[in-house]
Amino acid sequence: MQFHRHNEKILIIDFGSQVTKLIARRVRDLGVYSEIITPRQASKMNNFNSIKGIILSGGPSTVTKKKFETVPKFFFHKKIPILGICYGLQLIAKIFKGKIKSSKKRREFGRAFILKKNNSILTKKFFKPKSSVWMSHEDAVVKLPKNFKSIASTKDSKLTIIENAKDKIYGVQFHPEVTHTDNGLQIFKNFLFLICKVKKGWNIKSQRERLIQEIKNEVKNEKVICALSGGVDSSVAALLINKAIKKKLTCIMVDTGLMRKNEFKVIYKIFKDKYKLNVKLINASRQFFQKLKNISNPEKKRKIIGNLFIKIFEKEAKKIKNVKFLAQGTLYPDIIESRSSTGSKTSKIKSHHNVGGLPKKMRLKLIEPLKEFFKDEVRILGRSLGLDNRIALRHPFPGPGLGIRIIGNITKEKVRILQESDGIFINELIKNKLYYKIWQAYAALLPVKTVGVMGDSRTYEYTCLLRAVTSEDGMTADYFNFNGDFLDKISYKIINNVKGVNRVVYDITSKPPSTIELE
Ligand code: XMP
């Protein structure tokens, strides 16, 4: 049987905006496959067969300078509809001989009200009385390009939406992909279904059989190993590969001793008993504690944990003879972030973020079956493979685990205190139906001891910090606004049940300026 790859797709050219990924998300959420490429990759393209529409993203470049980021002119002569967003609009204006001015006075950041001037298919059902849109630009188009019409304006930019309906080229100065733009999704709906005339129908589940077949074709009769952390990505990758090649896959779980309370045992049981995977659990906590003794520098801790993890994984992997492939749960955002806007592999992604950490010396071929997908899509794929909700909907957890949630040096005793406190916090979140409203929540242990009084005695013990944030992708985050009674209850439970803590504080900083983790 032939499994088709994506036979209709929307191509997104990434000029470096922080929110390009959201464009791809919106398009996929509407049931159309989208792919992000760099301008450099675009300049080498010669096959446009499956491309039904092109979106030019925003970005930091400026067309008012001599050198600016662009795509080859032939993109505009393929009779494929084009939508330019922010910088994308300015680029269209430049190419078609409009005028763009850079002006500190004219710059718009944040919300702006938009006024309709003319009808356009792009804006069908988009305008509402007092529609506001999200702006982030300094340059503005001040003279319409040839054969273009103005569709809408704001107070500070007269040409906020422009179109050349005959050639199907459109531009918007604002960001319809961010939720701060009212009704922004309608712009994408109109572009996709009325202008590009694509059919709705793509979804991650429709890709499942193709992915399984591709793994079978690639692996054939060889062996695959995989580092299973119990996070969504490695779990779904393992389940998918297991569907394709069964016992030829061996999963290795390295218990660093820095996991949440009972977490690894539960996950191990699920994979072994429920999914019947070939999985080996390695208890390496002693080695980790030994290496981490008296280390309190966050970067040092991360390096030690990462390196030791790889060493142990390699040692275990060697025990399985003739392995050819290493499976990793790399996601689409990791791939996008690993290339710069010019297409060269300059900025290495948060390599510390992934447990697999790529044992290069092992000379294994990589299989990364999730590399086309976003996290939410992987969750859906996971559920279609029967992935337990306890894993599919789990909050993100960093590779170095509790090691970066114990500020200062790490001891077994501190890990115990933290596991107990964190367990209470997370259980209460689940019991109170708050867990799924939160992107990530955890307890951390601060190295400060303070004075307290319990019963009639003076105490001098550690401080437990609670953190809970909402976020869409972990790049920015807001702290979660618990009601006082809930926090009160958690504090009471922790102090009364965990020996070693006499003070509980709640972190009320957002990201930026803070990060989600403390180290
Ligand atoms: P920060 O702290 O940078 O975290 O705001 C953003 C997201 O990344 C997670 N994170 C990690 N994940 N290995 C991981 O797998 C790591 O070393 C790591 N450090 C941070 C963090 O939990 C949050 O979801």
Side-chain angles (χ1 to χ4, degrees):
M1 201 183 345
Q2 178 78 34
F3 293 103
H4 290 287
R5 289 189 73 83
H6 324 290
N7 45 11
E8 281 197 335
K9 68 176 152 195
I10 297 293
L11 198 64
I12 298 161
I13 318 289
D14 182 11
F15 290 106
S17 153
Q18 297 289 324
V19 284
T20 304
K21 275 182 282 178
L22 285 182
I23 304 175
R25 285 282 306 275
R26 301 291 174 252
V27 174
R28 288 187 185 192
D29 287 348
L30 288 168
V32 179
Y33 184 67
S34 65
E35 211 167 271
I36 299 177
I37 64 169
T38 62
R40 182 182 292 183
Q41 287 171 316
S43 67
K44 291 183 191 144
M45 270 185 64
N46 49 27
N47 182 353
F48 286 77
N49 283 345
S50 53
I51 294 162
K52 300 293 171 214
I54 296 168
I55 299 179
L56 310 174
S57 85
S61 186
T62 169
V63 297
T64 60
K65 295 255 165 71
K66 240 186 163 167
K67 266 188 100 172
F68 55 89
E69 292 261 34
T70 186
V71 285
K73 289 241 167 70
F74 65 75
F75 264 71
F76 295 92
H77 304 297
K78 293 268 173 204
K79 298 210 164 24
I80 300 173
I82 293 184
L83 170 64
I85 294 177
C86 195
Y87 177 72
L89 158 95
Q90 295 156 15
L91 182 62
I92 290 171
K94 174 81 182 173
I95 286 172
F96 291 97
K97 312 259 178 302
K99 210 166 174 188
I100 299 94
K101 259 199 164 162
S102 180
S103 153
K104 291 257 185 289
K105 256 199 267 157
R106 221 173 259 121
R107 73 187 202 163
E108 291 175 288
F109 286 100
R111 215 176 277 282
F113 290 106
I114 188 165
L115 288 170
K116 177 176 166 178
K117 290 202 155 157
N118 280 301
N119 285 329
S120 162
I121 308 185
L122 187 73
T123 54
K124 215 174 155 184
K125 295 192 195 157
F126 168 68
F127 291 107
K128 298 215 168 113
K130 284 210 142 205
S131 279
S132 72
V133 295
W134 192 257
M135 292 287 200
S136 176
H137 67 113
E138 252 177 47
D139 294 359
V141 182
V142 292
K143 193 182 128 225
L144 267 177
K146 249 170 123 180
N147 302 326
F148 277 75
K149 196 162 108 184
S150 164
I151 304 300
S153 64
T154 61
K155 191 166 118 289
D156 291 306
S157 65
K158 294 280 162 273
L159 300 167
T160 300
I161 305 180
I162 62 169
E163 72 162 25
N164 172 343
K166 188 172 143 280
D167 292 330
K168 298 192 176 166
I169 302 176
Y170 300 80
V172 296
Q173 180 58 74
F174 57 93
H175 288 273
E177 68 275 31
V178 305
T179 47
H180 304 72
T181 290
D182 292 339
N183 214 11
L185 200 61
Q186 191 63 40
I187 297 281
F188 291 107
K189 278 188 194 163
N190 295 340
F191 182 66
L192 296 177
F193 304 120
L194 304 180
I195 297 167
C196 303
K197 300 201 165 65
V198 283
K199 286 188 273 313
K200 205 178 175 121
W202 186 89
N203 65 46
I204 176 81
K205 278 193 253 170
S206 69
Q207 303 301 307
R208 204 179 85 175
E209 296 311 311
R210 168 181 65 92
L211 295 170
I212 293 173
Q213 192 58 43
E214 281 180 0
I215 297 166
K216 280 186 184 163
N217 294 347
E218 193 174 357
V219 173
K220 301 206 173 69
N221 268 320
E222 305 292 347
K223 286 189 203 161
V224 183
I225 48 163
C226 164
L228 188 61
S229 69
V232 179
D233 314 345
S234 66
S235 298
V236 176
L239 279 189
L240 197 64
I241 296 168
N242 176 62
K243 265 253 174 332
I245 61 163
K246 297 279 172 325
K247 295 285 174 208
K248 282 176 278 176
L249 168 71
T250 305
C251 298
I252 297 173
M253 292 180 71
V254 178
D255 187 353
T256 58
L258 299 167
M259 310 303 286
R260 285 188 151 133
K261 195 179 172 187
N262 291 333
E263 185 169 47
F264 241 41
K265 280 194 204 116
V266 173
I267 292 166
Y268 175 71
K269 264 188 98 57
I270 293 177
F271 277 93
K272 195 155 179 71
D273 300 341
K274 187 165 169 189
Y275 303 124
K276 312 266 182 268
L277 254 68
N278 202 354
V279 42
K280 271 175 99 175
L281 179 63
I282 312 297
N283 184 347
S285 55
R286 242 194 45 230
Q287 292 175 67
F288 279 89
F289 284 126
Q290 222 162 41
K291 277 255 181 274
L292 286 165
K293 208 171 164 191
N294 296 328
I295 306 288
S296 49
N297 178 297
E299 276 310 301
K300 271 196 189 141
K301 282 194 214 169
R302 280 177 178 275
K303 287 226 168 75
I304 291 172
I305 297 170
N307 291 341
L308 186 57
F309 182 93
I310 292 174
K311 213 172 124 193
I312 293 169
F313 178 74
E314 273 180 329
K315 194 172 143 213
E316 287 308 314
K318 268 196 200 130
K319 293 183 186 162
I320 311 161
K321 295 277 172 284
N322 301 322
V323 177
K324 272 269 161 61
F325 293 93
L326 172 70
Q328 288 205 145
T330 314
L331 300 190
Y332 196 41
D334 303 330
I335 302 275
I336 305 167
E337 280 163 28
S338 69
R339 43 188 205 212
S340 72
S341 65
T342 48
S344 57
K345 279 217 163 193
T346 47
S347 58
K348 199 163 170 230
I349 5 141
K350 350 161 191 169
S351 48
H352 62 276
H353 275 200
N354 289 327
V355 183
L358 266 189
K360 283 203 193 74
K361 281 185 293 183
M362 295 171 71
R363 294 180 194 282
L364 294 173
K365 264 182 94 178
L366 275 184
I367 34 174
E368 300 173 301
L370 308 178
K371 65 171 185 285
E372 292 166 47
F373 309 115
F374 289 105
K375 190 119 184 163
D376 305 16
E377 294 172 335
V378 169
R379 285 207 170 98
I380 296 170
L381 180 65
R383 260 184 262 145
S384 88
L385 289 160
L387 184 65
D388 198 296
N389 264 350
R390 278 173 291 178
I391 296 174
L393 301 177
R394 239 156 52 100
H395 288 174
F397 187 69
L402 303 185
I404 54 165
R405 291 179 179 174
I406 292 171
I407 314 308
N409 71 328
I410 299 167
T411 63
K412 235 178 152 168
E413 172 63 0
K414 285 186 183 171
V415 171
R416 181 202 58 83
I417 295 176
L418 183 53
Q419 282 179 334
E420 300 290 332
S421 312
D422 185 71
I424 290 172
F425 185 33
I426 300 297
N427 277 341
E428 284 299 324
L429 289 176
I430 295 171
K431 266 214 283 207
N432 288 275
K433 302 203 170 23
L434 290 169
Y435 186 83
Y436 298 117
K437 291 189 180 152
I438 291 169
W439 158 272
Q440 196 168 352
Y442 65 86
L445 196 66
L446 303 184
V448 273
K449 282 190 169 181
T450 62
V451 174
V453 53
M454 280 167 120
D456 288 327
S457 343
R458 176 188 192 270
T459 57
Y460 187 57
E461 286 171 344
Y462 289 115
T463 305
C464 168
L465 174 142
L466 305 177
R467 182 126 172 91
V469 295
T470 54
S471 173
E472 212 178 320
D473 50 14
M475 308 274 278
T476 59
D478 291 315
Y479 74 88
F480 189 81
N481 214 344
F482 288 113
N483 78 33
D485 287 350
F486 179 79
L487 287 175
D488 201 33
K489 184 161 75 181
I490 304 294
S491 163
Y492 180 86
K493 276 205 157 177
I494 292 178
I495 303 277
N496 282 291
N497 291 289
V498 185
K499 202 166 162 281
V501 176
N502 69 352
R503 197 172 291 270
V504 176
V505 296
Y506 184 54
D507 184 343
I508 52 162
T509 36
S510 294
K511 172 183 178 177
S514 288
T515 51
I516 295 177
E517 301 293 343
L518 302 190
E519 289 195 330

